[in-house]
Amino acid sequence: MRPQHAASRTLDAVGRLQCREYSGAAALDFLERAWPDLYEQDNAASAYQEPAWLLGWARHLPPSSQPLVLAAVDGQRPVAALALARETAPGARTRITPLAWPASEQIRPVGGRGEAVNVLLAHLPLLAATVVAADLPEDSLLTQHAHTWWGSSDAETHYATVPLPVNLAALSRSTRRDHTRRRRTLDRLGDRVAYHRTHGHSELQAAFQTLKTLHHQRNAPRLRTAGTADLALPWRKALSQCASVAFIATLTLDGRPVAAQLCLRRGPRVYSVLSAMDPACQELAAGHALLHLLCADLTADGCTALDLGRTTADPGQRAYKAAYGAVWTTTHTFTLPHPVEQHERVQQRSKKFSM
């Protein structure tokens, strides 16, 4: 449901730029009208900043939350913006998180001039009792400036990216043998195995139900790790307008779905958002089989990288991604309390960066 509350307020100025806050319906309007131009102009922005993806989540936030866009503006022209959500549960402290988190990773602003990023950072701690700036990629201006403002991050997470095509020659001999064995298994099964990538809204929605079922089979016995995807969130509703940027790759064995992977795409880079496989399908190693076919499919389609995303401390998950030649980087999470005395320090820092 579209939030009824709409607010836009101009905060303090830093240099020529001002910080402006858009909330509720005003945030949705910003995401529809101003965000797409900033996104298209920003080559560093990931698919997680795609307007359709963010709008899908912004329109289906729970009643206790509303979308919030923090923008650095030059006069009336926005030059950078950060998409957030404000949660105000009854009896609880107000909390700010990235919009669409934890479904989204690689949290960045769009725009990206250094002084504009500082304008946004100056006001983040002033927005609520708790601000969670999560999954910031280490190479982003936001992370670099956040370290300057706030020091070390509270948490770091390994992040895996597979260059395409997969360079098997660069892998260890034992890993190459494993890939050869899996390819032989696929060849032996022949037409019993089928791979498909969705195209269009109807296929995406149908495939998501398959992914959800597989995810439940695979993960129901486990406790969900903080910051990982929660299928209790309104995924289907959020994906309802994302068919232009989202797809699901599925693998079937004898017509039965055994693995599925939801991805977003921006240009030649693809981001794996959510994956699941049937734990009972031992003969095929379904997760590996799907990833092998997905990498080949994306390579043929001109893609140059597949981001496999945040990686837990589980050695098996790290080994799984390393088997495809993953390049490892780090994302950072800053959790900011809101003590009253911090306001003066933030204002002093703002003046320093405006000189």
Side-chain angles (χ1 to χ4, degrees), residues 179-250:
H179 279 288
T180 299
R181 175 174 50 81
R182 294 186 188 108
R183 283 200 303 271
R184 287 174 178 168
T185 299
L186 280 173
D187 292 341
R188 185 178 69 252
L189 292 170
D191 292 341
R192 294 178 60 196
V193 175
Y195 165 89
H196 179 71
R197 176 155 52 116
T198 62
H199 299 277
H201 171 78
S202 297
E203 284 194 352
L204 180 65
Q205 291 289 309
F208 180 75
Q209 185 57 47
T210 297
L211 190 155
K212 187 175 181 178
T213 300
L214 290 169
H215 191 275
H216 179 74
Q217 292 172 352
R218 178 72 175 87
N219 295 287
R222 302 181 178 188
L223 293 175
R224 191 173 66 85
T225 304
T228 59
D230 179 0
L231 263 71
L233 297 173
W235 284 84
R236 180 184 292 275
K237 293 179 180 178
L239 289 172
S240 63
Q241 63 186 74
C242 292
S244 62
V245 296
F247 66 85
I248 294 177
T250 57

Side-chain angles (χ1 to χ4, degrees), residues 70-82:
L70 201 61
V73 297
D74 186 349
Q76 295 300 313
R77 182 175 64 90
V79 295
L82 185 62

Side-chain angles (χ1 to χ4, degrees), residues 164-166 195-199 243-249 263-271 292-306:
L164 298 176
V166 175
Y195 165 89
H196 179 71
R197 176 155 52 116
T198 62
H199 299 277
S244 62
V245 296
F247 66 85
I248 294 177
C263 300
L264 300 177
R265 179 172 179 174
R266 188 186 192 197
R269 198 177 192 102
V270 174
Y271 300 79
H292 171 81
L293 294 171
L294 176 62
C295 287
D297 182 24
L298 295 178
T299 298
D301 203 22
C303 296
T304 58
L306 171 61

Side-chain angles (χ1 to χ4, degrees), residues 17-52:
L17 301 178
Q18 291 181 317
C19 192
R20 187 168 293 171
E21 179 184 333
Y22 301 84
S23 59
L28 291 175
D29 186 68
F30 188 100
L31 290 170
E32 287 177 321
R33 298 174 182 272
W35 189 277
D37 286 341
L38 292 171
Y39 176 72
E40 289 301 325
Q41 295 165 15
D42 190 346
N43 292 329
S46 76
Y48 290 111
Q49 285 78 57
E50 160 65 41

